Amino acid sequence: MELGVILWTVIVWFVFFVSLKLLEHYFQDSLYTILERLNLSVSLGHIRWRTTYFNHMILAVGGKYRQFWRIWFNIGVYVGVICMVSSVLLLGTNLLWMFRSMWLIYTTELPADQPTMMLTPVIPGINVHGSQLLYLFLSLMISGVLHELGHAIAAVGERVKVNHFGLFVTILYPGAFVDLGEEMLNRITPIQQLRIFCAGSWHNLALAVFSLVLMFSVQLWMSPLYMYSNQGPYIVGVFEPSPFGGEISQGDIVTAVDNCTTNNVRDLQECLMSIASNANNGSQGYLIDDLFLSSLSETSNNSERQPYCCETDYAGSLQCFENSKSGVQNFYCLSARSILSNYPSCENELNSENCIYPVLPQGVYLLRLYTKSKAGEKKMHLFAGTPEDLWYSFMVRDYQIRWRILSFLPLDLPFYITTLLYYIASISAGLALLNLAPVFFLDGKWALKQYLFYLFPAFHEKATSLVLLCSTAIFVLNLVLSVGMLLYNKDPLVF
């Protein structure tokens, strides 16, 4: 939980509302005139703007290709049925899952790796990091605008008047809306109404698929500007003073850490986290052959006094290693580079007497960092420290700018775009599914009414009321319990 996000949100809205009230007190008529001219309405935690500026564009787009739109929105009607049924099943399953999680928490103990719910509400400051707020805001706005444009274009195709289009922000959640001619809407047939009611979610689903296609092909369509390395992340900066003493430079590629291959930045992060989470990781021991071990045994110091390189004040080039043979602990002064370069880790033979371990302070690791230079030269670098220290010793990215003339472009632009596309796909798919749930105040309410009228005209009203009441109860229970469990369990940030 990030209390800073919540606190700043409350402060900004409070200051804004107080300022508005002061302006209203001193310039009441002028303020109302300005807000009216701008088509703005403001209340505590809510700003709404409406306009007819886009009506001409919507009318042109919806009226010019009527045959195409008719086919397009007919597909949306069938997809709407699938979304509606899927939303009810998903909400019901999620509710049962949360009841089960609560029972496990109450009676025994919920496994740490088991999520408490299948559907997680997105709440800034609770499970969305402050650095991700812009992505969330933009994805909600884009998804909302495309959703409402779907309704508007479908309405034009059915010759229903579009009164105005608008945007709003409620606390930290943006959205869009469209106002349709209610009288004309009620006069058209149920299938025509279904095309309009399902159009928003159908557009959200199409947007989610389109965003996923763009996200997974970002390497291709950004290749004229950026080079992508599939051999490992690029080193784009080295922090000074560098523990590598000039051995690595900008443009080198990180290919592995110890025995963990790094194809991209995410792999490098996971490798370091894996090393940090395994205090007695087998990769910290090295399997030497019998002949070399015999030669070491002759020169080892197994007395009570440790050899010179194992003393805390030793500052030479040798590394202290240890192993246990026949119940006796032995210490050796060896070249760390020679051992790590020529002998494998003893991951599968941890109890072998031929396995020697570097003697290091608590929490310190002796790591091998493998890099590849621009010229193709492969190197191994030794690093003594924590995985976190290694991560912060240089800056890595999956992309590098292709042309020097484009050096003004930010190195993180592909990352920003990929993250935004991920957010749009996730948010838009969620809106497509949940907005067609047969729940009061959602599109699913009106779509359900027309579906049932089309299928069961004799008793559609009673069936609609029953389904709406049950589905709304399930939806509200899901919302209340998921928010409650999110706050109670202090689940980690999901974005």
Side-chain angles (χ1 to χ4, degrees):
M1 181 184 296
E2 282 196 316
L3 293 177
V5 173
I6 301 172
L7 182 62
W8 274 110
T9 302
V10 172
I11 291 173
V12 168
W13 273 110
F14 177 77
V15 171
F16 175 76
F17 190 70
V18 170
S19 302
L20 195 68
K21 286 297 180 184
L22 289 173
L23 290 172
E24 182 182 347
H25 178 75
Y26 291 105
F27 310 101
Q28 182 173 356
D29 295 336
S30 301
L31 179 64
Y32 288 155
T33 302
I34 293 172
L35 291 177
E36 188 175 345
R37 285 179 179 176
L38 295 175
N39 293 319
L40 278 173
S41 60
V42 182
S43 58
L44 182 60
H46 183 81
I47 301 175
R48 177 182 292 254
W49 172 72
R50 59 182 175 82
T51 182
T52 58
Y53 180 80
F54 301 104
N55 284 20
H56 179 72
M57 182 193 72
I58 295 170
L59 187 63
V61 173
K64 191 173 182 179
Y65 308 102
R66 288 185 188 274
Q67 192 60 36
F68 167 78
W69 292 121
R70 180 66 57 88
I71 297 171
W72 174 256
F73 292 121
N74 276 337
I75 297 172
V77 171
Y78 292 105
V79 172
V81 177
I82 298 172
C83 287
M84 182 176 291
V85 174
S86 300
S87 66
V88 174
L89 292 175
L90 189 58
L91 288 169
T93 305
N94 187 60
L95 191 60
L96 293 175
W97 186 283
M98 287 191 290
F99 281 140
R100 176 179 175 275
S101 298
M102 287 189 294
W103 175 255
L104 288 175
I105 292 172
Y106 178 74
T107 56
T108 55
E109 185 174 348
L110 188 72
D113 59 343
Q114 181 175 313
T116 56
M117 64 193 90
M118 297 170 63
L119 295 174
T120 306
V122 179
I123 307 175
I126 303 297
N127 63 343
V128 178
H129 195 276
S131 62
Q132 306 293 296
L133 286 182
L134 183 59
Y135 296 119
L136 178 63
F137 189 91
L138 289 175
S139 60
L140 282 169
M141 182 61 76
I142 293 169
S143 300
V145 169
L146 263 291
H147 180 99
E148 297 303 327
L149 282 177
H151 289 311
I153 293 171
V156 170
E158 304 302 334
R159 293 179 170 80
V160 173
K161 182 182 178 183
V162 177
N163 294 326
H164 55 255
F165 178 83
L167 304 173
F168 67 86
V169 176
T170 300
I171 306 177
L172 282 175
Y173 295 92
F177 63 93
V178 63
D179 183 56
L180 304 178
E182 188 174 348
E183 185 178 346
M184 300 173 70
L185 186 62
N186 292 331
R187 286 206 303 260
I188 60 178
T189 64
I191 190 65
Q192 288 178 302
Q193 291 188 40
L194 278 173
R195 291 192 195 106
I196 297 173
F197 294 142
C198 296
S201 289
W202 172 224
H203 271 208
N204 279 138
L205 190 61
L207 175 62
V209 173
F210 181 65
S211 298
L212 286 174
V213 171
L214 287 180
M215 186 176 74
F216 286 113
S217 62
V218 67
Q219 298 170 23
L220 177 64
W221 56 268
M222 292 210 74
S223 59
L225 304 177
Y226 292 87
M227 293 185 296
Y228 177 80
S229 170
N230 55 8
Q231 299 177 353
Y234 288 104
I235 295 176
V236 297
V238 180
F239 298 116
E240 297 295 342
S242 171
F244 298 102
E247 291 184 1
I248 62 174
S249 58
Q250 186 171 331
D252 289 354
I253 294 173
V254 178
T255 57
V257 178
D258 278 355
N259 298 318
C260 187
T261 303
T262 58
N263 295 316
N264 48 50
V265 173
R266 178 62 66 91
D267 286 348
L268 178 58
Q269 289 176 316
E270 291 179 353
C271 287
L272 294 177
M273 286 191 292
S274 176
I275 293 170
S277 63
N278 293 280
N280 298 315
N281 197 314
S283 64
Q284 288 296 101
Y286 303 93
L287 193 64
I288 60 177
D289 55 67
D290 292 326
L291 182 62
F292 184 49
L293 183 62
S294 298
S295 66
L296 290 179
S297 298
E298 296 174 1
T299 59
S300 66
N301 187 338
N302 55 11
S303 63
E304 292 183 1
R305 178 179 173 81
Q306 294 182 351
Y308 63 93
C309 69
C310 298
E311 300 294 336
T312 55
D313 57 349
Y314 173 72
S317 59
L318 298 179
Q319 171 64 45
C320 179
F321 285 84
E322 66 173 337
N323 90 318
S324 296
K325 188 172 183 179
S326 302
V328 178
Q329 190 175 22
N330 299 287
F331 296 91
Y332 314 99
C333 292
L334 303 169
S335 167
R337 180 173 293 278
S338 176
I339 296 297
L340 272 66
S341 299
N342 299 309
Y343 296 98
S345 60
C346 41
E347 291 174 313
N348 300 321
E349 299 187 52
L350 298 179
N351 298 320
S352 172
E353 292 186 346
N354 287 29
C355 192
I356 61 173
Y357 294 86
V359 178
L360 298 166
Q362 181 69 29
V364 175
Y365 295 77
L366 189 59
L367 302 176
R368 293 166 292 179
L369 180 74
Y370 296 93
T371 63
K372 182 179 178 182
S373 68
K374 293 178 181 179
E377 182 184 1
K378 297 180 180 179
K379 291 183 179 180
M380 185 198 76
H381 313 275
L382 296 185
F383 179 84
T386 67
E388 184 180 13
D389 291 336
L390 178 59
W391 173 255
Y392 286 110
S393 63
F394 47 71
M395 186 185 301
V396 288
R397 295 292 183 270
D398 288 327
Y399 292 87
Q400 191 172 42
I401 295 172
R402 184 176 292 276
W403 312 105
R404 185 171 295 180
I405 195 173
L406 299 175
S407 59
F408 62 90
L409 291 174
L411 283 169
D412 287 330
L413 183 59
F415 170 77
Y416 296 148
I417 293 174
T418 303
T419 306
L420 179 60
L421 289 171
Y422 169 75
Y423 266 85
I424 291 174
S426 303
I427 296 295
S428 199
L431 288 176
L433 199 63
L434 293 180
N435 200 54
L436 273 179
V439 174
F440 288 107
F441 307 113
L442 298 181
D443 290 341
K445 171 190 174 181
W446 308 106
L448 174 70
K449 182 178 180 181
Q450 301 310 318
Y451 278 129
L452 294 180
F453 182 82
Y454 189 76
L455 296 172
F456 312 108
F459 54 90
H460 74 280
E461 290 187 1
K462 290 184 178 180
T464 300
S465 300
L466 180 62
V467 173
L468 281 175
L469 285 172
C470 294
S471 298
T472 302
I474 294 173
F475 183 86
V476 172
L477 275 174
N478 266 277
L479 187 61
V480 172
L481 289 178
S482 60
V483 172
M485 293 186 74
L486 197 64
L487 295 173
Y488 174 77
N489 294 318
K490 299 180 177 61
D491 286 352
L493 303 178
V494 297
F495 284 111

